[in-house]
Structures are given as structure tokens and as C-alpha cells.
Amino acid sequence: MLQIRKRQKPPRLNITENLAGYLFITPTILVMGTFVVLPILYAVFLSLHKVQLLGGIKYEFIGGSNFSRLVDDERVWIALSNTLQYVVIVVPTQTILALILAVTLNSGIRGKNWWRIIYFLPTVTSSAVLTLIFMWIYNTDGLLNDFLAFVGLPTYNWLGDPAVALKGIMLMNIWSTAPFYMVIYLAALQDIPQTLYEAAELDGANEWQKFIRITVPLLKPVTFFVMAVGVIGTFQLFDQSYIFSNGNGGPNNATLTIVLLIYQAVFRNLQMGYAAAIAFLLAAVIITTTLIQRRFFGGEKL
């Protein structure tokens, strides 16, 4: 039997191709190394040291003392509790709202282009501007309390009551971020073949059954993406909490978040090493939460 031998490229040609490949990815490696890898390594270095910033920068190696300090710091657990509460409420709510808005726009309602613009306006508005607008709305004599009083519901001191201050930030973020995820869902809905819905109609399925049995299962990978991005974004809540509380996380630490606590550790207490340890705690929580989401929703493609 004749054996077909594969033509092997000359060694010089292989080396040239490898060098060309590495040359093309060099810019990416440099950018990733400079802005991702090096900062992470420096953060690890900081977390193991006590950093003196006044009178010249000095590093004192203290090992894992910054991490052991996290366990005894009450404000860390308050911030973590506030952030987890925020994530648990905001992420599912904005995901469901985004899906409802996307399905509504995809159903062929009249003037859907105008509705898309109206829905998406909060997303393109500056977060700081939105926060200031909502602070005006949440004022004791603001629009929200006037509306609640008009319909006979109890009013609240949204900015000063620890029981409702964080809920006010939640309402604002759900309203402003859901349209962004709506666009993602809308693009995914338009990729679902209409033949599936037509076949379901022939089998006697109603609109609700088509939504539950066809739309929701096919959007499972998109839902994983939306919730993963939502979790990462909500865990990084900072600017709204900072503006609402004037940077102190009040009232009574009710709006204190992990990222705001990191800011306070660095810029108020000048404790860069401890702030780096808190940042690694936040990274661990985000990674764990994302892996749990992947376990339930999966990351497979459509």
C-alpha cells in the first residue's frame, strides 16, 4: 500500500510563521500586561503591606494582617450586606423588566421606534445627573412623596431614613439600567426563528405557552449574560451611593457599599494595603456569584 506522507514545512518557515504570530499579538499582550496583569500583581503586593503615604511612600510587610482584619471590621460586613441586598433585588428585577420591555417592543406595537428611544433615554444619561435628579425627586417635599400622598400611600424620608435610603438607589438603578439590557434581549428575540412560533400555534399553544416553552428557554444563554453583567455592575455600585450620602455611606451606613468602603480606605484613611484586601474580597464574591449563575443558567450558545 502506498503511504501518503504529509509535506512538512521547512523549520525556518515554521519559525517565521511563529514570529509573525507573536508579532501580531504583541500589542494586545502589552496592553493587557500594562493595564490588567501589572495592576493585579501590584494590588497583591499592596494587600500584603502597610503603606505609608505621608512623608514619602514606604512599604512595611505585614503578611496576611490586612485580610485577617477584614473579619473583625464591622463596616466591611455592613457594606457587604448592603451590596448583597442591592444585588439580590436589583439584578432579577432589572432582568425581568428588560425582558418584558423587549417582548413588548418585539410584538409589533405601533410607534415602536419612538418607544425604543423613550425607553433608552435613561441609559444614555449621565449617572451623576440622574442621581441629582432623583435626589430632588426623593426630597421630603419632592415629587415622589407628593405622588404617594396624592394616592393615599405613606411618604418617606428617602434620603434620611436608613430603612429606605438604599431602596431609593435601587429604584433609580432599575429604571436607568433595564433599558440597556432590553436592547440585548431585543436583539436575541429577533434571532429566534418565527417557524418555531408558527409550529407551536399549529399545536394549539397560546401566547403565554409560547413565551414560557419557546422564548424563555431559547433566551437562557442571553439571560446568563445579562445577569452576569448585571451582578458585576451592581457589585461595583459607587457613584450613586457616594452622591446620595456625600461620601460617608449614610444615613447610619445604610448606603455603604464595598466600593465606597474601598474609596474611604484609600482617600480618607490612607490605607492602601487594607483597601487592596477589600478589593480582593469583592473580586472573590463576584467570581463566586458568577460561577453559581453559570451553574444554573449555563453559558452555552443559542
Side-chain angles (χ1 to χ4, degrees):
M1 296 178 64
L2 294 175
Q3 293 183 350
I4 301 176
R5 295 182 179 179
K6 294 182 178 179
R7 294 182 60 187
Q8 295 183 350
K9 297 180 180 179
R12 289 184 179 179
L13 186 57
N14 288 332
I15 294 173
T16 303
E17 289 183 352
N18 291 336
L19 288 176
Y22 285 118
L23 183 63
F24 278 116
I25 65 174
T26 296
T28 302
I29 293 175
L30 290 175
V31 171
M32 294 292 291
T34 303
F35 296 103
V36 178
V37 178
L38 287 181
I40 291 175
L41 294 178
Y42 185 57
V44 173
F45 173 81
L46 289 176
S47 67
L48 301 176
H49 289 76
K50 180 180 179 181
V51 185
Q52 177 182 323
L53 297 175
L54 299 179
I57 299 178
K58 296 181 181 179
Y59 301 98
E60 178 187 348
F61 181 77
I62 57 174
S65 298
N66 284 325
F67 292 97
S68 60
R69 180 182 167 187
L70 293 174
V71 180
D72 301 322
D73 192 341
E74 182 183 3
R75 298 188 80 235
V76 170
W77 298 107
I78 292 174
L80 186 60
S81 175
N82 290 341
T83 308
L84 287 174
Q85 180 185 354
Y86 181 84
V87 171
V88 168
I89 295 176
V90 170
V91 173
T93 306
Q94 71 184 11
T95 302
I96 294 172
L97 179 59
L99 179 58
I100 292 173
L101 293 176
V103 171
T104 303
L105 291 177
N106 196 53
S107 62
I109 61 173
R110 294 182 60 184
K112 61 181 180 181
N113 291 333
W114 287 105
W115 285 114
R116 290 179 184 180
I117 295 173
I118 294 172
Y119 287 157
F120 199 70
L121 278 177
T123 301
V124 298
T125 306
S126 168
S127 177
V129 173
L130 280 177
T131 305
L132 292 174
I133 292 173
F134 269 81
M135 287 182 68
W136 172 66
I137 294 174
Y138 288 151
N139 195 282
T140 307
D141 299 323
L143 293 178
L144 183 56
N145 277 343
D146 288 344
F147 174 77
L148 292 174
F150 177 77
V151 297
L153 295 175
T155 59
Y156 298 97
N157 181 9
W158 295 92
L159 302 178
D161 189 347
V164 297
L166 188 62
K167 277 72 174 180
I169 300 178
M170 292 179 187
L171 286 174
M172 180 189 68
N173 276 276
I174 291 170
W175 176 77
S176 62
T177 56
F180 171 75
Y181 300 114
M182 172 199 74
V183 174
I184 299 174
Y185 270 125
L186 188 59
L189 284 170
Q190 293 175 352
D191 270 348
I192 298 177
Q194 290 299 316
T195 53
L196 296 176
Y197 295 108
E198 293 170 0
E201 286 181 3
L202 292 176
D203 290 336
N206 56 34
E207 294 298 325
W208 175 252
Q209 290 172 330
K210 287 189 291 184
F211 176 74
I212 293 297
R213 300 296 178 87
I214 298 176
T215 305
V216 173
L218 288 178
L219 291 179
K220 188 177 178 182
V222 181
T223 301
F224 166 74
F225 172 78
V226 167
M227 295 195 68
V229 174
V231 164
I232 294 172
T234 48
F235 266 116
Q236 295 175 344
L237 173 68
F238 169 72
D239 50 349
Q240 296 95 337
S241 179
Y242 179 88
I243 297 172
F244 259 80
S245 64
N246 197 25
N248 57 33
N252 196 23
N253 292 325
T255 60
L256 181 66
T257 63
I258 291 291
V259 180
L260 181 57
L261 189 63
I262 295 172
Y263 168 84
Q264 292 178 351
V266 175
F267 295 101
R268 291 192 176 184
N269 303 327
L270 302 180
Q271 299 174 343
M272 291 189 66
Y274 187 54
I278 301 174
F280 279 111
L281 171 65
L282 176 61
V285 172
I286 291 176
I287 292 171
T288 303
T289 307
T290 304
L291 291 176
I292 293 173
Q293 283 181 282
R294 185 179 179 85
R295 176 70 177 83
F296 285 99
F297 291 96
E300 67 274 8
K301 297 179 180 179
L302 271 173

